[in-house]
Amino acid sequence: MMKNLLAAALLLASSSAFATTTYFDGYDKPGNGNANTTKISISYTAGSFDLSGEVDPTSWLTWIQDKNSGLYLEGNLISDKGDTYTWSPVISLTDIDPTVWTFNFSNLAAGNYTLQFNLAGGGHYTGSYAISAVTTAVPEPETYGMMLFGLGLMGTIAVRRQKNR
């Protein structure tokens, strides 16, 4: 029984560490209209999840515009560009890239989301997003049974010790 309990606990702990990463690339048309906005559909149906990723325009002079950029849930804006995208230049010994935009959302409810961005002047982009399931530990009935059995055993031991004094 203890081995089964330990195996279940390890499985539960390891399941929250896995993330599904999806890569995308394409071309965003010039202009800031809805038809010129890149739209990436993200659906999740199994409880809460975390969403994080990045958008990397290939031109150094490109940024994400305010209009139509953000995270939408079933067509309704829930986070606009200023709250969704964070400009975070990558500066390393091998790469200087001042155009990377990142996003990070925690504990989103299941649903059909659309990640939208509109690049100033349009242009080619690459990016990725990762979905991580949010798991919470829920004690099994056996756990409560073991706890109650242990408390009862401790009580029995305490009563016997008092009788022997």
Side-chain angles (χ1 to χ4, degrees):
M1 169 122 167
M2 191 61 155
K3 284 183 183 179
N4 292 342
L5 201 59
L6 182 60
L10 288 173
L11 182 64
L12 182 64
S14 66
S15 67
S16 64
F18 294 112
T20 303
T21 302
T22 302
Y23 297 92
F24 56 86
D25 71 295
Y27 183 81
D28 192 61
K29 298 178 221 160
N32 62 4
N34 195 38
N36 301 12
T37 301
T38 297
K39 299 172 183 157
I40 299 168
S41 296
I42 301 167
S43 293
Y44 192 78
T45 58
S48 299
F49 69 103
D50 295 336
L51 175 66
S52 60
E54 68 180 35
V55 176
D56 186 3
T58 54
S59 168
W60 279 32
L61 301 174
T62 304
W63 63 91
I64 293 179
Q65 299 185 83
D66 291 334
K67 187 162 183 181
N68 300 324
S69 297
L71 184 67
Y72 292 74
L73 173 59
E74 299 182 6
N76 299 313
L77 179 67
I78 61 169
S79 176
D80 65 6
K81 178 228 167 194
D83 294 327
T84 300
Y85 296 101
T86 304
W87 179 66
S88 53
V90 175
I91 300 173
S92 66
L93 294 175
T94 58
D95 186 25
I96 299 175
D97 189 352
T99 62
V100 176
W101 295 82
T102 60
F103 53 91
N104 191 3
F105 296 96
S106 297
N107 208 19
L108 292 172
N112 297 316
Y113 291 84
T114 305
L115 185 66
Q116 295 187 186
F117 56 90
N118 191 296
L119 301 178
H124 187 259
Y125 61 84
T126 60
S128 65
Y129 64 87
I131 295 176
S132 305
V134 176
T135 57
T136 56
V138 177
E140 296 292 328
E142 293 87 2
T143 305
Y144 288 117
M146 286 178 22
M147 182 183 72
L148 290 173
F149 177 76
L151 287 173
L153 187 61
M154 294 294 288
T156 303
I157 292 170
V159 167
R160 284 189 178 193
R161 281 189 179 172
Q162 255 187 350
K163 281 184 180 179
N164 289 338
R165 286 189 181 175

